[in-house]
Amino acid sequence: MVPTSNDLLKLLKSFSEASKYWRTSLATSEVTSAQTARLEKPLEELEKLAKLIKAHVTKVGIVFKPENLRSVDAAYKTVEQLSETVVLTVTVVAQLSPVEISDIYHSEILGLVKSLLSTTDTFAEELSLLVEEQESTSTETSDSKIDQRLVSVGRLWEHCDELIDLIKTGKLGLLNRRIKQSILLIDDGLDEFAEWAQDP
């Protein structure tokens, strides 16, 4: 059965609600208690999934271009694939343990995944608006709507790139980055103190 625009809207709504649910669940032990197959190297899988999400987001961005949106079947399938990949990502993140990878590193990964889920939720809502607009009129979509779709695609790419970079640099890379930030803050504070000491 070929999906209709109504089916696509239902899928997007479900995807948006799932993104909200997973984002809040990551903060609780509820998500870690889910029964999932255990992975030997969840960080490697998380990196692969981030790359896959980036690819799916690109496809969704292309398929939801107003002139391409007439093919509801393609739009439905690409959103479905993106949704499945996001769910897999959450299940992999649930397998990460702060005891094994350090609290700071775990918190940073969770923060990035929550940002990814938040943007995914916004993206799904924007796509729903595009579908509704496409349904209600056969005229071209305004440039601002197109730009908004592309902005969300860009944000999702950015979150994926940050997650990939964090996994590649590892916990020592994160620690190094944090130490450099702290040194810069201390240097700024000392400079301001020196200026104040000269002219109180």
Side-chain angles (χ1 to χ4, degrees):
M1 186 171 105
V2 178
T4 64
S5 293
N6 197 30
D7 294 333
L8 179 57
L9 287 170
K10 286 179 184 176
L11 177 64
L12 286 166
K13 183 179 181 195
S14 171
F15 184 38
S16 175
E17 290 171 355
S19 295
K20 288 176 187 168
Y21 171 77
W22 288 117
R23 190 175 69 238
T24 56
S25 294
L26 281 175
T28 66
S29 60
E30 183 179 338
V31 76
T32 56
S33 64
Q35 296 294 321
T36 59
R38 287 282 166 208
L39 299 170
E40 285 183 34
K41 298 180 181 178
L43 285 174
E44 287 179 14
E45 295 304 316
L46 186 58
E47 182 181 353
K48 292 174 189 174
L49 286 167
K51 290 176 182 176
L52 195 56
I53 288 173
K54 192 174 175 181
H56 285 312
V57 165
T58 303
K59 284 173 38 180
V60 170
I62 292 168
V63 169
F64 275 80
K65 193 173 177 183
E67 55 268 18
N68 298 342
L69 197 52
R70 290 176 182 83
S71 172
V72 175
D73 188 38
Y76 189 91
K77 286 178 183 173
T78 55
V79 170
E80 193 173 46
Q81 290 169 344
L82 175 60
S83 177
E84 290 168 357
T85 307
V86 169
V87 170
L88 285 173
T89 302
V90 172
T91 60
V92 169
V93 169
Q95 294 183 28
L96 299 175
S97 167
V99 174
E100 294 173 12
I101 63 171
S102 88
D103 285 332
I104 294 173
Y105 193 54
H106 185 260
S107 295
E108 192 75 16
I109 289 172
L110 278 182
L112 286 174
V113 172
K114 286 179 186 177
S115 296
L116 178 77
L117 290 170
S118 178
T119 307
T120 301
D121 172 33
T122 304
F123 187 46
E125 290 172 359
E126 290 168 358
L127 295 176
S128 294
L129 291 174
L130 282 173
V131 172
E132 289 169 356
E133 189 173 296
Q134 187 75 17
E135 255 185 8
S136 66
T137 179
S138 60
T139 60
E140 289 295 314
T141 307
S142 69
D143 287 341
S144 65
K145 293 287 184 195
I146 295 170
D147 290 344
Q148 191 58 41
R149 171 184 54 88
L150 295 176
V151 167
S152 292
V153 168
R155 283 189 194 135
L156 286 165
W157 282 354
E158 182 181 357
H159 294 313
C160 289
D161 288 341
E162 288 173 353
L163 187 57
I164 291 165
D165 182 54
L166 179 63
I167 293 168
K168 282 183 179 177
T169 59
K171 55 187 171 187
L172 292 178
L174 175 64
L175 181 62
N176 187 20
R177 195 177 320 152
R178 293 272 174 99
I179 289 171
K180 285 180 181 178
Q181 288 173 344
S182 297
I183 290 171
L184 289 173
L185 283 173
I186 291 169
D187 285 345
D188 284 347
L190 289 174
D191 289 344
E192 286 183 26
F193 179 74
E195 287 176 19
W196 177 83
Q198 289 175 358
D199 188 21

PDB file of all heavy atoms in Angstrom, residues 17-33 90 94 110 114 117:
ATOM      1  N   GLU A  17       7.181  13.063  18.475  1.00  0.00           N
ATOM      2  CA  GLU A  17       6.868  12.645  19.847  1.00  0.00           C
ATOM      3  C   GLU A  17       7.917  11.677  20.385  1.00  0.00           C
ATOM      4  O   GLU A  17       8.295  11.750  21.555  1.00  0.00           O
ATOM      5  CB  GLU A  17       5.480  12.010  19.895  1.00  0.00           C
ATOM      6  CG  GLU A  17       4.360  13.010  19.689  1.00  0.00           C
ATOM      7  CD  GLU A  17       2.993  12.360  19.528  1.00  0.00           C
ATOM      8  OE1 GLU A  17       2.904  11.110  19.477  1.00  0.00           O
ATOM      9  OE2 GLU A  17       2.009  13.118  19.437  1.00  0.00           O
ATOM     10  N   ALA A  18       8.385  10.786  19.537  1.00  0.00           N
ATOM     11  CA  ALA A  18       9.419   9.834  19.962  1.00  0.00           C
ATOM     12  C   ALA A  18      10.714  10.569  20.306  1.00  0.00           C
ATOM     13  O   ALA A  18      11.374  10.239  21.299  1.00  0.00           O
ATOM     14  CB  ALA A  18       9.669   8.802  18.866  1.00  0.00           C
ATOM     15  N   SER A  19      11.055  11.576  19.519  1.00  0.00           N
ATOM     16  CA  SER A  19      12.269  12.356  19.798  1.00  0.00           C
ATOM     17  C   SER A  19      12.170  13.037  21.156  1.00  0.00           C
ATOM     18  O   SER A  19      13.131  13.048  21.931  1.00  0.00           O
ATOM     19  CB  SER A  19      12.495  13.408  18.710  1.00  0.00           C
ATOM     20  OG  SER A  19      12.757  12.798  17.479  1.00  0.00           O
ATOM     21  N   LYS A  20      11.001  13.593  21.447  1.00  0.00           N
ATOM     22  CA  LYS A  20      10.792  14.230  22.758  1.00  0.00           C
ATOM     23  C   LYS A  20      10.906  13.198  23.878  1.00  0.00           C
ATOM     24  O   LYS A  20      11.530  13.453  24.908  1.00  0.00           O
ATOM     25  CB  LYS A  20       9.413  14.892  22.810  1.00  0.00           C
ATOM     26  CG  LYS A  20       9.302  16.133  21.975  1.00  0.00           C
ATOM     27  CD  LYS A  20       7.883  16.672  21.987  1.00  0.00           C
ATOM     28  CE  LYS A  20       7.748  17.812  20.999  1.00  0.00           C
ATOM     29  NZ  LYS A  20       6.369  18.200  20.751  1.00  0.00           N
ATOM     30  N   TYR A  21      10.281  12.051  23.670  1.00  0.00           N
ATOM     31  CA  TYR A  21      10.308  11.002  24.687  1.00  0.00           C
ATOM     32  C   TYR A  21      11.735  10.525  24.958  1.00  0.00           C
ATOM     33  O   TYR A  21      12.160  10.421  26.106  1.00  0.00           O
ATOM     34  CB  TYR A  21       9.433   9.821  24.261  1.00  0.00           C
ATOM     35  CG  TYR A  21       9.583   8.628  25.169  1.00  0.00           C
ATOM     36  CD1 TYR A  21       8.973   8.608  26.414  1.00  0.00           C
ATOM     37  CD2 TYR A  21      10.369   7.541  24.794  1.00  0.00           C
ATOM     38  CE1 TYR A  21       9.130   7.527  27.269  1.00  0.00           C
ATOM     39  CE2 TYR A  21      10.526   6.458  25.639  1.00  0.00           C
ATOM     40  CZ  TYR A  21       9.907   6.455  26.869  1.00  0.00           C
ATOM     41  OH  TYR A  21      10.075   5.390  27.711  1.00  0.00           O
ATOM     42  N   TRP A  22      12.482  10.239  23.893  1.00  0.00           N
ATOM     43  CA  TRP A  22      13.842   9.736  24.071  1.00  0.00           C
ATOM     44  C   TRP A  22      14.732  10.780  24.721  1.00  0.00           C
ATOM     45  O   TRP A  22      15.602  10.451  25.524  1.00  0.00           O
ATOM     46  CB  TRP A  22      14.437   9.285  22.737  1.00  0.00           C
ATOM     47  CG  TRP A  22      13.830   8.022  22.216  1.00  0.00           C
ATOM     48  CD1 TRP A  22      13.129   7.874  21.060  1.00  0.00           C
ATOM     49  CD2 TRP A  22      13.851   6.728  22.818  1.00  0.00           C
ATOM     50  NE1 TRP A  22      12.708   6.572  20.920  1.00  0.00           N
ATOM     51  CE2 TRP A  22      13.145   5.850  21.989  1.00  0.00           C
ATOM     52  CE3 TRP A  22      14.396   6.227  23.993  1.00  0.00           C
ATOM     53  CZ2 TRP A  22      12.975   4.505  22.280  1.00  0.00           C
ATOM     54  CZ3 TRP A  22      14.225   4.881  24.286  1.00  0.00           C
ATOM     55  CH2 TRP A  22      13.522   4.042  23.438  1.00  0.00           C
ATOM     56  N   ARG A  23      14.517  12.044  24.370  1.00  0.00           N
ATOM     57  CA  ARG A  23      15.328  13.114  24.964  1.00  0.00           C
ATOM     58  C   ARG A  23      15.124  13.169  26.472  1.00  0.00           C
ATOM     59  O   ARG A  23      16.081  13.279  27.228  1.00  0.00           O
ATOM     60  CB  ARG A  23      14.983  14.457  24.309  1.00  0.00           C
ATOM     61  CG  ARG A  23      15.935  15.567  24.695  1.00  0.00           C
ATOM     62  CD  ARG A  23      15.662  16.858  23.947  1.00  0.00           C
ATOM     63  NE  ARG A  23      14.419  17.458  24.369  1.00  0.00           N
ATOM     64  CZ  ARG A  23      13.389  17.729  23.562  1.00  0.00           C
ATOM     65  NH1 ARG A  23      13.461  17.459  22.284  1.00  0.00           N
ATOM     66  NH2 ARG A  23      12.296  18.273  24.021  1.00  0.00           N
ATOM     67  N   THR A  24      13.881  13.064  26.918  1.00  0.00           N
ATOM     68  CA  THR A  24      13.629  13.086  28.363  1.00  0.00           C
ATOM     69  C   THR A  24      14.042  11.774  29.024  1.00  0.00           C
ATOM     70  O   THR A  24      14.494  11.768  30.166  1.00  0.00           O
ATOM     71  CB  THR A  24      12.152  13.385  28.683  1.00  0.00           C
ATOM     72  OG1 THR A  24      11.333  12.428  28.023  1.00  0.00           O
ATOM     73  CG2 THR A  24      11.765  14.775  28.243  1.00  0.00           C
ATOM     74  N   SER A  25      13.922  10.683  28.305  1.00  0.00           N
ATOM     75  CA  SER A  25      14.283   9.377  28.868  1.00  0.00           C
ATOM     76  C   SER A  25      15.782   9.227  29.076  1.00  0.00           C
ATOM     77  O   SER A  25      16.209   8.486  29.963  1.00  0.00           O
ATOM     78  CB  SER A  25      13.800   8.250  27.959  1.00  0.00           C
ATOM     79  OG  SER A  25      12.408   8.221  27.922  1.00  0.00           O
ATOM     80  N   LEU A  26      16.569   9.909  28.263  1.00  0.00           N
ATOM     81  CA  LEU A  26      18.023   9.802  28.416  1.00  0.00           C
ATOM     82  C   LEU A  26      18.493  10.346  29.761  1.00  0.00           C
ATOM     83  O   LEU A  26      19.557   9.977  30.240  1.00  0.00           O
ATOM     84  CB  LEU A  26      18.742  10.536  27.279  1.00  0.00           C
ATOM     85  CG  LEU A  26      18.817   9.791  25.961  1.00  0.00           C
ATOM     86  CD1 LEU A  26      19.436  10.666  24.884  1.00  0.00           C
ATOM     87  CD2 LEU A  26      19.599   8.498  26.093  1.00  0.00           C
ATOM     88  N   ALA A  27      17.702  11.206  30.356  1.00  0.00           N
ATOM     89  CA  ALA A  27      18.073  11.786  31.644  1.00  0.00           C
ATOM     90  C   ALA A  27      17.718  10.866  32.812  1.00  0.00           C
ATOM     91  O   ALA A  27      18.105  11.119  33.944  1.00  0.00           O
ATOM     92  CB  ALA A  27      17.382  13.134  31.824  1.00  0.00           C
ATOM     93  N   THR A  28      17.003   9.800  32.532  1.00  0.00           N
ATOM     94  CA  THR A  28      16.575   8.894  33.597  1.00  0.00           C
ATOM     95  C   THR A  28      17.185   7.513  33.398  1.00  0.00           C
ATOM     96  O   THR A  28      17.796   7.228  32.376  1.00  0.00           O
ATOM     97  CB  THR A  28      15.038   8.751  33.596  1.00  0.00           C
ATOM     98  OG1 THR A  28      14.640   8.088  32.391  1.00  0.00           O
ATOM     99  CG2 THR A  28      14.352  10.100  33.693  1.00  0.00           C
ATOM    100  N   SER A  29      16.988   6.671  34.356  1.00  0.00           N
ATOM    101  CA  SER A  29      17.481   5.295  34.231  1.00  0.00           C
ATOM    102  C   SER A  29      16.527   4.451  33.392  1.00  0.00           C
ATOM    103  O   SER A  29      16.816   3.306  33.082  1.00  0.00           O
ATOM    104  CB  SER A  29      17.644   4.675  35.615  1.00  0.00           C
ATOM    105  OG  SER A  29      16.398   4.664  36.281  1.00  0.00           O
ATOM    106  N   GLU A  30      15.397   5.037  33.015  1.00  0.00           N
ATOM    107  CA  GLU A  30      14.388   4.315  32.233  1.00  0.00           C
ATOM    108  C   GLU A  30      14.962   3.789  30.920  1.00  0.00           C
ATOM    109  O   GLU A  30      14.722   2.655  30.532  1.00  0.00           O
ATOM    110  CB  GLU A  30      13.218   5.263  31.954  1.00  0.00           C
ATOM    111  CG  GLU A  30      12.069   4.649  31.208  1.00  0.00           C
ATOM    112  CD  GLU A  30      10.949   5.654  30.993  1.00  0.00           C
ATOM    113  OE1 GLU A  30      10.871   6.645  31.737  1.00  0.00           O
ATOM    114  OE2 GLU A  30      10.162   5.430  30.073  1.00  0.00           O
ATOM    115  N   VAL A  31      15.750   4.606  30.255  1.00  0.00           N
ATOM    116  CA  VAL A  31      16.286   4.201  28.958  1.00  0.00           C
ATOM    117  C   VAL A  31      17.372   3.138  29.110  1.00  0.00           C
ATOM    118  O   VAL A  31      17.522   2.268  28.265  1.00  0.00           O
ATOM    119  CB  VAL A  31      16.789   5.425  28.156  1.00  0.00           C
ATOM    120  CG1 VAL A  31      18.113   5.922  28.680  1.00  0.00           C
ATOM    121  CG2 VAL A  31      16.895   5.102  26.691  1.00  0.00           C
ATOM    122  N   THR A  32      18.121   3.179  30.185  1.00  0.00           N
ATOM    123  CA  THR A  32      19.187   2.193  30.363  1.00  0.00           C
ATOM    124  C   THR A  32      18.646   0.831  30.773  1.00  0.00           C
ATOM    125  O   THR A  32      19.342  -0.165  30.657  1.00  0.00           O
ATOM    126  CB  THR A  32      20.211   2.670  31.416  1.00  0.00           C
ATOM    127  OG1 THR A  32      19.526   2.944  32.631  1.00  0.00           O
ATOM    128  CG2 THR A  32      20.951   3.894  30.941  1.00  0.00           C
ATOM    129  N   SER A  33      17.411   0.798  31.231  1.00  0.00           N
ATOM    130  CA  SER A  33      16.830  -0.485  31.620  1.00  0.00           C
ATOM    131  C   SER A  33      16.180  -1.206  30.438  1.00  0.00           C
ATOM    132  O   SER A  33      15.709  -2.324  30.585  1.00  0.00           O
ATOM    133  CB  SER A  33      15.802  -0.282  32.736  1.00  0.00           C
ATOM    134  OG  SER A  33      14.724   0.492  32.260  1.00  0.00           O
ATOM    135  N   VAL A  90      19.700   5.920  20.164  1.00  0.00           N
ATOM    136  CA  VAL A  90      19.314   6.006  21.577  1.00  0.00           C
ATOM    137  C   VAL A  90      19.616   4.699  22.301  1.00  0.00           C
ATOM    138  O   VAL A  90      20.110   4.704  23.430  1.00  0.00           O
ATOM    139  CB  VAL A  90      17.822   6.392  21.716  1.00  0.00           C
ATOM    140  CG1 VAL A  90      17.360   6.287  23.155  1.00  0.00           C
ATOM    141  CG2 VAL A  90      17.593   7.804  21.190  1.00  0.00           C
ATOM    142  N   ALA A  94      22.214   4.264  25.409  1.00  0.00           N
ATOM    143  CA  ALA A  94      21.765   3.663  26.668  1.00  0.00           C
ATOM    144  C   ALA A  94      22.760   2.628  27.191  1.00  0.00           C
ATOM    145  O   ALA A  94      22.788   2.342  28.388  1.00  0.00           O
ATOM    146  CB  ALA A  94      20.395   3.020  26.475  1.00  0.00           C
ATOM    147  N   LEU A 110      25.886  12.481  26.145  1.00  0.00           N
ATOM    148  CA  LEU A 110      24.446  12.617  26.383  1.00  0.00           C
ATOM    149  C   LEU A 110      23.945  13.994  25.965  1.00  0.00           C
ATOM    150  O   LEU A 110      22.882  14.119  25.354  1.00  0.00           O
ATOM    151  CB  LEU A 110      24.111  12.386  27.858  1.00  0.00           C
ATOM    152  CG  LEU A 110      23.985  10.955  28.329  1.00  0.00           C
ATOM    153  CD1 LEU A 110      23.611  10.915  29.809  1.00  0.00           C
ATOM    154  CD2 LEU A 110      22.978  10.184  27.521  1.00  0.00           C
ATOM    155  N   LYS A 114      21.160  14.591  23.161  1.00  0.00           N
ATOM    156  CA  LYS A 114      19.929  15.318  23.492  1.00  0.00           C
ATOM    157  C   LYS A 114      19.726  16.501  22.545  1.00  0.00           C
ATOM    158  O   LYS A 114      18.605  16.768  22.112  1.00  0.00           O
ATOM    159  CB  LYS A 114      19.966  15.804  24.941  1.00  0.00           C
ATOM    160  CG  LYS A 114      19.755  14.703  25.951  1.00  0.00           C
ATOM    161  CD  LYS A 114      19.842  15.262  27.358  1.00  0.00           C
ATOM    162  CE  LYS A 114      19.791  14.176  28.396  1.00  0.00           C
ATOM    163  NZ  LYS A 114      19.937  14.705  29.752  1.00  0.00           N
ATOM    164  N   LEU A 117      18.492  15.108  19.345  1.00  0.00           N
ATOM    165  CA  LEU A 117      17.076  14.736  19.439  1.00  0.00           C
ATOM    166  C   LEU A 117      16.168  15.964  19.446  1.00  0.00           C
ATOM    167  O   LEU A 117      15.093  15.955  18.845  1.00  0.00           O
ATOM    168  CB  LEU A 117      16.832  13.893  20.692  1.00  0.00           C
ATOM    169  CG  LEU A 117      17.430  12.490  20.661  1.00  0.00           C
ATOM    170  CD1 LEU A 117      17.337  11.841  22.037  1.00  0.00           C
ATOM    171  CD2 LEU A 117      16.750  11.628  19.615  1.00  0.00           C
TER     172      LEU A 117
END
